[in-house]
Amino acid sequence: MIIAIDGPAGSGKSSVAKMVARRLCFQHIDTGAMYRAVAWKGQRLGIDLGDADRVAELAENLAIELIPGAEGQKILVDGQEVTSQLKSEAVGMGAALVASQSRVREILVAKQREIGKNGGVVMDGRDIGTVVFPDADKKFYLDADPRERGRRRYEELKLSHPEVDLESIIQQVRERDFEDKNREVSPLRQAADAIRVDTTHLGIEGVVEEIMREVQAQS
Ligand code: C5P
């Protein structure tokens, strides 16, 4: 079984996907981390993230490992653990830029299909139900009011980046929404057969319960 969970930044999809995967003993794949890994490495190497040829070459040769663990997924890029470094909004904005490039998407989508091909996965991102696994068994689209999504990002980021400011995070979330929804390749949109869950006033547990009900109704 493949469960696809898509939605904008701060909609809760990664936290929810992680918990659903744990309950089902499935593997959780956070595809946003893969775009972030490309952006992070590019920034480290001083590569212009707008240079699609260089970014594609980087993505092609990058070793991205997603390692499940009790405290969540760890991300290794070329053998280096970068889990908390990938969370910054600067890396998020870089990820949105590289994610607008079709060759990078082809490379990462191929990796995602390879990881998920045997099923038993909960994969979250922006295009899982529309492009990566259009035949996924269950598809969910999580959304929430942008201010609430910004507030969640702020609460999460402040732990590792105490200097962050709420209003600028809300603004960055809105900018990233705009980039993700308006890009030419695989823009963020809800798949026609996805179940929409508005998480503005629902806690993570509530969303997980709703998803589990749908998944169990199917099996
Ligand atoms: O979900 P997260 O905030 O980590 O994603 C970072 C960026 O990566 C998103 O803003 C989006 O541009 C891109 N992304 C994507 N397709 C995915 C996952 C993430 O385009 N499946």
Side-chain angles (χ1 to χ4, degrees):
M1 180 188 252
I2 294 175
I3 300 176
I5 304 184
D6 290 304
S11 56
K13 59 190 187 311
S14 285
S15 313
V16 166
K18 182 168 77 184
M19 289 175 73
V20 170
R22 194 176 298 155
R23 288 219 200 166
L24 295 168
C25 293
F26 278 20
Q27 191 183 356
H28 167 218
I29 308 295
D30 168 3
T31 61
M34 299 171 81
Y35 291 91
R36 285 173 183 264
V38 173
W40 175 82
K41 188 75 179 193
Q43 286 168 343
R44 276 292 293 259
L45 296 174
I47 290 175
D48 170 7
L49 295 184
D51 182 339
D53 289 339
R54 288 203 68 193
V55 175
E57 193 189 325
L58 174 71
E60 188 94 66
N61 296 307
L62 205 61
I64 306 170
E65 293 169 78
L66 307 176
I67 302 173
E71 275 132 55
Q73 174 185 260
K74 274 193 190 154
I75 301 129
L76 268 60
V77 175
D78 287 340
Q80 185 183 348
E81 214 232 281
V82 292
T83 315
S84 69
Q85 295 170 64
L86 295 192
K87 288 188 178 143
S88 77
E89 264 311 300
V91 174
M93 297 298 270
L97 178 55
V98 303
S100 67
Q101 297 161 11
S102 56
R103 281 177 56 209
V104 172
R105 299 204 72 85
E106 279 166 25
I107 293 161
L108 295 188
V109 166
K111 288 188 202 249
Q112 291 153 15
R113 288 185 179 143
E114 183 59 31
I115 299 171
K117 69 174 192 240
N118 296 324
V121 293
V122 181
M123 197 171 277
D124 79 80
R126 302 289 189 290
D127 59 341
I128 311 305
T130 51
V131 175
V132 182
F133 287 114
D135 297 327
D137 303 271
K138 275 285 169 193
K139 300 182 188 177
F140 298 92
Y141 187 89
L142 271 46
D143 206 352
D145 177 80
R147 281 201 74 81
E148 171 60 15
R149 292 191 285 112
R151 193 196 60 76
R152 290 176 189 165
R153 289 285 302 150
Y154 169 75
E155 295 296 337
E156 188 190 355
L157 274 174
K158 161 170 111 164
L159 303 173
S160 52
H161 300 80
E163 72 287 356
V164 291
D165 158 71
L166 175 62
E167 288 307 319
S168 50
I169 295 294
I170 292 172
Q171 183 55 29
Q172 284 164 350
V173 160
R174 288 186 197 276
E175 281 170 26
R176 206 135 63 79
D177 281 359
F178 185 84
E179 302 284 335
D180 288 345
K181 289 180 178 168
N182 292 288
R183 67 179 174 222
E184 275 174 35
V185 277
S186 309
L188 169 64
R189 61 179 177 79
Q190 181 179 344
D193 52 352
I195 298 167
R196 185 184 183 85
V197 184
D198 185 331
T199 73
T200 309
H201 304 293
L202 267 182
I204 297 288
E205 283 290 346
V207 183
V208 171
E209 289 306 329
E210 198 164 326
I211 290 182
M212 289 302 294
R213 263 198 304 277
E214 291 290 342
V215 171
Q216 278 151 359
Q218 139 137 5
S219 46

